[in-house]
Amino acid sequence: MIVTVTPNPALDLTYGLTVLRPHTSHRVAAVHEQAGGKGVNVARVLHALGRRTTAVLPLGGPTGAAVRADLDRAGISCLGVPLAADASTRRTVAVVDDTDATVLNEPGPELSTEHWAALRTAVRSLLPTARALVLSGSLPPGVRPGAYADLVRLAHEHGVPVVLDADGAALTEALDARPTVVKPNAVELRHATGIADPLHAARALADRGARAVVASFGPDGLLAVTPDGTWRARLPPEAVVRGNPTGAGDAVVAALAAALADGAPWPQALTRAVALSAAAVQAPYAGRFDPQAYRGHLPLVRILPATPTRGPATPATPTRGPATPAPPAPPARSGRHPQENPHAPGSHR
């Protein structure tokens, strides 16, 4: 079983448009509603892959009831932690047009110390039978930044590998606990390290405690720094992938968690992750993927040794706190395969 933890779940609303134009009114062509949040999306992908999974998440109010009902309809096992009577699960709105997606995220309800303790207890109850643990998305108000680190340590006590997909202090404060894999996108990698070159930045996260770093760069694929090697993985430039990129990063996390559960070698794990991410773009909603596209992408993925794209990192104007190097512009995008928007911090949290 693979356990996913979504501390800040949501009811996802997706509005389909032909073109999104600011400062004007739109007629929405299609509306879709489903349970969401990054860990929920991961659980949905794993379930579609035929993997046994359980989603752990706090739920409250009418929105929380709608999230649970949707998971039940999908056949996804859910271990919900009830919130206070006046606390309601948040909503997100994704506006998807023919070129990209714009996402609006509500902050989510505040979790008390007691609620977080109940969520931790729920996770601990599942770890004896777990093959991997996924910690994914933002921490809600009221939860300390080091909360993920505590869950990483708890998993290690049971010998369970952990994939962590988080941003900011939730990511950096978990590094000392040595998560098995961390999966930042381009902006999160830059914010966490302040280092110009992506390879140097990924190595810096590994030096700070992550056992492996798999960074996602949208159409430029994945960069992996692992104990067994350092690679770039991507589809060839001629592969055209268009669609909704909002759940592509979650598909990467699902592939990595499944590979950890299987004990798969890194090149195989990265191949699955790139192919599944592209297939997720070709599905209309986050947490879904096109199975035929997934099978078609697998033989196309290229795995190459990674090399720095810039010189060694040098200190410059800090981006957060003292003595951190300045961030670069993100890697150039070709615009051909929007597997994940790497330029919008927090857009998928």
Side-chain angles (χ1 to χ4, degrees), residues 61-87:
T63 310
V67 167
R68 180 185 284 277
D70 183 70
L71 291 174
D72 289 343
R73 284 192 297 270
I76 299 171
S77 175
C78 168
L79 184 52
V81 175
L83 298 179
D86 59 346

Side-chain angles (χ1 to χ4, degrees), residues 286-307:
R288 320 268 176 137
F289 67 93
D290 182 325
Q292 184 175 352
Y294 174 49
R295 292 189 294 270
H297 292 316
L298 282 169
L300 302 179
V301 178
R302 298 175 178 177
I303 308 289
L304 298 171
T307 57

Side-chain angles (χ1 to χ4, degrees), residues 174-185:
L175 294 174
D176 285 344
R178 294 186 56 77
T180 315
V181 185
V182 298
K183 199 229 59 86
N185 64 24

Side-chain angles (χ1 to χ4, degrees), residues 14-294:
T14 301
Y15 294 153
L17 304 174
T18 301
V19 179
L20 175 63
R21 294 187 178 93
H23 315 300
T24 188
S25 298
H26 297 78
R27 291 190 180 277
V28 177
V31 180
H32 179 76
E33 179 180 291
Q34 69 177 33
K38 291 184 66 61
V40 170
N41 294 339
V42 173
R44 197 183 295 275
V45 172
L46 289 168
H47 180 73
L49 288 170
R51 302 284 179 149
R52 183 167 167 250
T53 182
T54 297
V56 180
L57 61 167
L59 295 172
T63 310
V67 167
R68 180 185 284 277
D70 183 70
L71 291 174
D72 289 343
R73 284 192 297 270
I76 299 171
S77 175
C78 168
L79 184 52
V81 175
L83 298 179
D86 59 346
S88 185
T89 301
R90 66 180 178 143
R91 297 162 298 176
T92 70
V93 177
V95 182
V96 180
D97 64 16
D98 289 344
T99 60
D100 211 335
T102 300
V103 183
L104 305 176
N105 291 333
E106 294 181 2
E110 183 168 339
L111 260 64
S112 67
T113 302
E114 291 75 17
H115 289 135
W116 184 259
L119 186 142
R120 184 184 187 278
T121 298
V123 173
R124 184 175 57 190
S125 71
L126 297 171
L127 288 174
T129 58
R131 301 281 298 276
L133 173 68
V134 172
L135 308 175
S136 209
S138 60
L139 292 171
V143 177
R144 57 189 176 82
Y148 272 148
D150 178 51
L151 294 181
V152 173
R153 294 187 181 97
L154 186 64
H156 288 335
E157 290 175 7
H158 291 80
V160 176
V162 180
V163 183
L164 172 65
D165 182 11
D167 189 16
L171 166 62
T172 56
E173 294 203 16
L175 294 174
D176 285 344
R178 294 186 56 77
T180 315
V181 185
V182 298
K183 199 229 59 86
N185 64 24
V187 169
E188 293 159 355
L189 181 64
R190 194 167 73 247
H191 283 175
T193 65
I195 293 176
D197 177 73
L199 180 53
H200 289 308
R203 285 174 173 164
L205 287 187
D207 290 342
R208 289 167 63 181
R211 300 181 186 183
V213 180
V214 178
S216 54
F217 296 91
D220 294 316
L222 304 177
L223 167 66
V225 174
T226 81
D228 300 325
T230 301
W231 296 280
R232 282 275 193 180
R234 62 167 297 169
L235 289 173
E238 62 271 18
V240 178
V241 178
R242 295 189 178 94
N244 178 6
T246 53
D250 303 326
V252 170
V253 172
L256 295 175
L260 285 177
D262 294 344
W266 275 106
Q268 184 181 103
L270 298 173
T271 297
R272 293 180 189 174
V274 170
L276 194 60
S277 175
V281 172
Q282 294 171 269
Y285 309 113
R288 320 268 176 137
F289 67 93
D290 182 325
Q292 184 175 352
Y294 174 49

